Amino acid sequence: MTGFVIPAPAQAQLPVVGGGAFPVRRVYCIGRNYAAHAVEMGHDPDREPPFFFQKNPDSLDASGQFPYPVKSQDVHHEAELLVALHSGGTDITTQDALAHVWGYAPCLDMTRRDLQGEAKKMGRPWEIGKSFERSAPVGPLHPVSDVGHLSSGEISLTVNGELRQSGDLDQMIWKVPEMISYLSAYFELAAGDVILSGTPSGVGPVVRGDAMELSIAGLDVLRVDVV
């Protein structure tokens, strides 16, 4: 038997600065990776090992618009750095990890906080609050060959010109090489995988009509309208 029995879904992809597209295989997201954010969410960052959840590849959206999702009255912004891999494997060492990175992009982990909160109370997975359609507005991917590896520098988010989130990439509890190494111990990483590397403190709600701007040192600003 050859061929698909239904039309094949479109390949999830990210635009690349200068042209071309990066195909996305999986989306891994680390939780509470900045100490101040862990505290604001009611947790002690000094006692937690890293943990991850996943978004769907087609949650990534580069349109510049974020449609306010259904079934929620409390949707929050989370400003993050996206790390894109061109290769992978298992049991990758921290020393070798950055050799697998193709590039970086600004990304938002939009969260239906009320639905996530209900899931937490019942000990259920977070996907209903995290993995809905277009829940990861994203900017163009910058190749490492152009921007180098981003280990420090400002990350900030404004809503309607008001500063909401501000931090530095070097404040991440688990750095990019450590995240790649840790994930590779549990999953076989591969070309096309991306990692959202956590958010600084200051997460908060948005409403229709808001304009968000995410700035990460060395990358183009991501502007997203809530519609």
Side-chain angles (χ1 to χ4, degrees), residues 55 58-70 72-78 107-113 128-138 159 204-213 222-227:
K55 283 183 179 279
D58 62 0
S59 294
L60 294 164
D61 179 63
S63 69
Q65 292 189 330
F66 172 68
Y68 199 94
V70 299
S72 179
Q73 302 299 318
D74 188 25
V75 178
H76 285 203
H77 56 74
E78 297 191 10
C107 191
L108 289 163
D109 171 20
M110 303 302 295
T111 303
R112 294 192 284 203
R113 191 72 73 200
I128 196 167
K130 289 285 192 177
S131 300
F132 55 94
E133 286 73 17
R134 300 174 72 176
S135 61
V138 64
V159 178
V206 295
V207 298
R208 292 178 181 86
D210 281 347
M212 301 179 288
E213 291 197 0
L222 171 61
R223 297 176 175 85
V224 181
D225 295 321
V226 183
V227 296

Side-chain angles (χ1 to χ4, degrees), residues 6-80:
I6 63 170
Q11 168 68 57
Q13 56 187 264
L14 298 175
V16 174
V17 171
F22 181 91
V24 179
R25 176 177 175 261
R26 294 178 183 169
V27 181
Y28 298 97
C29 308
I30 191 170
R32 297 192 289 265
N33 198 29
Y34 285 75
H37 175 57
V39 171
E40 76 176 348
M41 300 304 288
H43 298 271
D44 183 348
D46 293 329
R47 296 185 179 179
E48 290 190 345
F51 73 95
F52 293 82
F53 59 92
Q54 292 191 25
K55 283 183 179 279
N56 300 313
D58 62 0
S59 294
L60 294 164
D61 179 63
S63 69
Q65 292 189 330
F66 172 68
Y68 199 94
V70 299
K71 302 295 185 180
S72 179
Q73 302 299 318
D74 188 25
V75 178
H76 285 203
H77 56 74
E78 297 191 10
E80 312 220 355

